[in-house]
Amino acid sequence: YASLPSNTSSSPGSTMPTKGLARKQDESGPGKRMLLLDQEKCKPGMAAHDFLKRISKCPSGQECITVGGPPAFPISIMEDSCLACLNRAKRCPGEALRIINLPSNLTTNVTHQYGLNSFKLHGLPTPRAGNVLGILGCNGIGKSTALNTLCGRLKPNLGRLKEPPGWADIMAYYRGSDLQTYFTRFLEEELTVVHKPQLDGAMAKGAVGKKVGDLLRDRDERGVLEEMGRRLELDHLLEREVHTLSGGELQRLAIATVVMRKADVYLFDEPSSFLDIRQRMTAVDIIRSLVFDDAAEASGEANPSKYVVVIEHDLAVLDAVSDYVCCLYGEAGAWGASTKIATVRNGINNFLAGYIPAENMRFRAEALHFQVSTGEGSDAVLAAEGGGGTPTVGTVQYPGATKTLVSTDGDSRFTLHVEPGDFKGAEMIGMLGENGCGKTTFMDLLAGTFERGGEEGKDEGDEHSLKGLGVAYKRQHYA
């Protein structure tokens, strides 16, 4: 990163700063700028690497662009680069380099920076014992970084890349805040932390050869195996191997393996993805129950030793699961900043408005609004140019069909019955239903992805397929 304050002039009476980004900053008004370099596009042999290597010799003799660093950072551009090198670097091919404006009133300090010219996070969400803290924000602005810091997988460097701070310095940095109490208990091993990461292929690959039942029994420290198996609909999956599970099944298993542990801190990264509406509300109830222990639950008092933090994109789920909300904003892949915690209503509304009143910070130019459509007049829109009530766009019909899927071992079968239907051009149709009721199978039928021969229920032919119209099909993937 190159992020310099605006008062970097060479002398008190000088009107022109001497450093590249500082000079650019002074010309563009209050605030800061940062330089972001995509190291994945700057590997040896790539156009960006060759270009930056070619211009790395500074006309003024300074060390502005360094080539030949460690594999993770093969090229670095110094914060105090001269204006000549900065202007040449801006012409780097492949969009490998970006100069980003930082908000002029960004006052939160750096919690962690991954490296020179790399992502950095300002501030850190503050969990409260006995409450569920919801974290809301766009992708790529540090939510998972914050969660990895809270669970101890990532030690915050406070932006000090050359001399990373020790825990004594980190504790001094957070002195007087709730985070000091949290990290103190964490370092004194008073807190046991469990973390449900984002759902990805590594989770399933790491459990190859393990059965669902064996994994659950290994994690059941609270003696709630039977209850979690029933509530999360895992009873019928106990003999299945983990790597054969679907996205929704794997998500429910991941939630179960976390809530069955005895811990003081429970961290959930996007627990509702791949779940249907009913399963999401079940997950909400289970996560909220973690702030109560057995003794306190009878009296309805929260257990102050439990911290629960949830990252969630679904606003309805976030509203239902959280006691407080913390918003993160910034530039995806470049920087992120954490706001102070707010009530659920205020936090979500501030995020939608793109404005944080407590910090006088506008992080989005426009507010997000939801419009409810009653469907009235949709036919008139389609027929607006046709006259006589006849739409100008065509109607596509598909016949009734039946499809039976048989598992590889032949032990289980699933049959989908599809009634005849149609849709019109210029329409967007949503499909709603619980997991496992055949939505993906129906999409596969329409897309014509089933192979011919050897499949039961294929004697209807291909008349239900839309391949003849041309189909672009985005399948469900979690890995």
Side-chain angles (χ1 to χ4, degrees):
Y1 285 82
S3 113
L4 301 178
S6 58
N7 57 348
T8 51
S9 55
S10 57
S11 65
S14 173
T15 59
M16 182 177 295
T18 58
K19 302 301 181 181
L21 280 180
R23 177 178 177 178
K24 281 288 186 180
Q25 161 53 42
D26 203 54
E27 295 172 351
S28 61
K32 297 181 180 181
R33 286 188 173 191
M34 60 174 292
L35 186 149
L36 184 68
L37 191 62
D38 190 343
Q39 298 291 344
E40 292 298 321
K41 298 179 180 179
C42 296
K43 295 181 179 180
M46 293 185 174
H49 182 278
D50 296 340
F51 176 83
L52 293 174
K53 183 178 181 180
R54 188 168 63 252
I55 67 169
S56 60
K57 186 176 181 179
C58 178
S60 62
Q62 299 183 46
E63 189 177 355
C64 298
I65 302 176
T66 303
V67 180
F73 301 97
I75 294 181
S76 59
I77 302 178
M78 299 299 105
E79 293 183 352
D80 56 352
S81 298
C82 69
L83 189 58
C85 288
L86 179 63
N87 286 331
R88 290 190 298 173
K90 287 168 60 176
R91 298 193 292 269
C92 182
E95 299 181 351
L97 184 144
R98 290 187 294 160
I99 294 179
I100 299 171
N101 292 323
L102 296 177
S104 58
N105 55 347
L106 181 61
T107 58
T108 51
N109 294 319
V110 178
T111 296
H112 188 79
Q113 184 172 356
Y114 283 99
L116 189 64
N117 312 129
S118 299
F119 180 87
K120 65 177 177 179
L121 175 66
H122 295 262
L124 194 64
T126 305
R128 288 184 175 181
N131 293 279
V132 179
L133 174 64
I135 298 180
L136 175 63
C138 300
N139 288 331
I141 58 172
K143 299 187 303 298
S144 295
T145 297
L147 220 60
N148 287 329
T149 302
L150 293 175
C151 76
R153 293 184 178 180
L154 181 65
K155 182 180 178 182
N157 59 21
L158 308 182
R160 306 175 192 172
L161 302 179
K162 294 184 179 180
E163 297 180 0
W167 276 111
D169 295 330
I170 296 174
M171 297 304 298
Y173 180 81
Y174 289 113
R175 183 180 294 122
S177 68
D178 291 338
L179 286 171
Q180 180 191 14
T181 303
Y182 178 88
F183 283 124
T184 298
R185 296 185 62 189
F186 179 81
L187 292 175
E188 294 177 355
E189 299 183 353
E190 294 182 7
L191 295 179
T192 302
V193 183
V194 291
H195 177 208
K196 190 210 83 67
Q198 291 186 31
L199 195 65
D200 57 19
M203 184 179 300
K205 293 177 183 177
V208 172
K210 294 183 180 180
K211 292 187 176 181
V212 172
D214 296 336
L215 186 61
L216 291 176
R217 282 185 282 271
D218 291 341
R219 298 292 192 275
D220 188 19
E221 299 174 357
R222 299 173 55 210
V224 293
L225 173 59
E226 183 176 348
E227 177 188 357
M228 290 300 107
R230 173 179 52 82
R231 297 182 65 182
L232 291 173
E233 304 173 25
L234 298 173
D235 289 337
H236 64 291
L237 303 174
L238 298 181
E239 298 302 319
R240 291 263 302 274
E241 292 192 359
V242 174
H243 72 276
T244 65
L245 300 181
S246 67
E249 293 167 344
L250 189 62
Q251 183 72 281
R252 301 199 303 273
L253 174 63
I255 294 174
T257 57
V258 170
V259 300
M260 294 168 69
R261 300 279 302 276
K262 283 185 178 180
D264 303 293
V265 183
Y266 294 89
L267 308 176
F268 297 87
D269 198 343
E270 301 183 18
S272 72
S273 60
F274 293 95
L275 301 184
D276 62 39
I277 297 174
R278 180 174 57 82
Q279 292 169 345
R280 291 185 181 198
M281 299 315 299
T282 300
V284 165
D285 292 338
I286 292 175
I287 292 173
R288 285 205 56 82
S289 69
L290 293 174
V291 298
F292 293 87
D293 64 7
D294 295 334
E297 187 174 4
S299 59
E301 296 179 358
N303 178 8
S305 66
K306 296 292 188 294
Y307 297 84
V308 182
V309 182
V310 179
I311 292 176
E312 185 54 62
H313 290 291
D314 188 323
L315 297 183
V317 173
L318 187 76
D319 184 20
V321 76
S322 304
D323 295 305
Y324 299 94
V325 167
C326 178
C327 297
L328 270 73
Y329 62 90
E331 182 81 15
W335 64 276
S338 173
T339 66
K340 297 179 181 179
I341 60 175
T343 61
V344 176
R345 178 175 180 174
N346 288 340
I348 294 178
N349 286 339
N350 291 343
F351 178 79
L352 294 176
Y355 176 67
I356 310 296
E359 303 177 17
N360 192 26
M361 169 64 70
R362 176 162 294 282
F363 59 89
R364 195 188 315 114
E366 70 286 341
L368 303 180
H369 299 283
F370 293 96
Q371 296 182 352
V372 179
S373 174
T374 61
E376 296 179 0
S378 58
D379 292 336
V381 173
L382 290 174
E385 299 180 1
T390 303
T392 59
V393 290
T395 298
V396 178
Q397 296 181 339
Y398 55 88
T402 298
K403 182 67 181 178
T404 299
L405 302 178
V406 183
S407 63
T408 305
D409 54 15
D411 292 338
S412 60
R413 299 162 62 92
F414 174 80
T415 300
L416 173 68
H417 301 285
V418 180
E419 296 182 358
D422 62 78
F423 58 88
K424 298 180 177 65
E427 284 186 338
M428 298 180 67
I429 302 175
M431 188 183 302
L432 183 65
E434 296 184 5
N435 285 339
C437 65
K439 300 186 301 298
T440 300
T441 302
F442 178 51
M443 296 287 282
D444 288 339
L445 284 172
L446 294 180
T449 59
F450 289 111
E451 297 180 359
R452 291 181 174 274
E455 287 194 81
E456 187 176 352
K458 192 60 180 176
D459 50 357
E460 298 87 6
D462 280 338
E463 65 272 13
H464 49 265
S465 172
L466 304 180
K467 288 192 298 184
L469 299 178
V471 175
Y473 182 23
K474 187 270 170 191
R475 295 177 174 84
Q476 178 185 175
H477 289 292
Y478 63 89

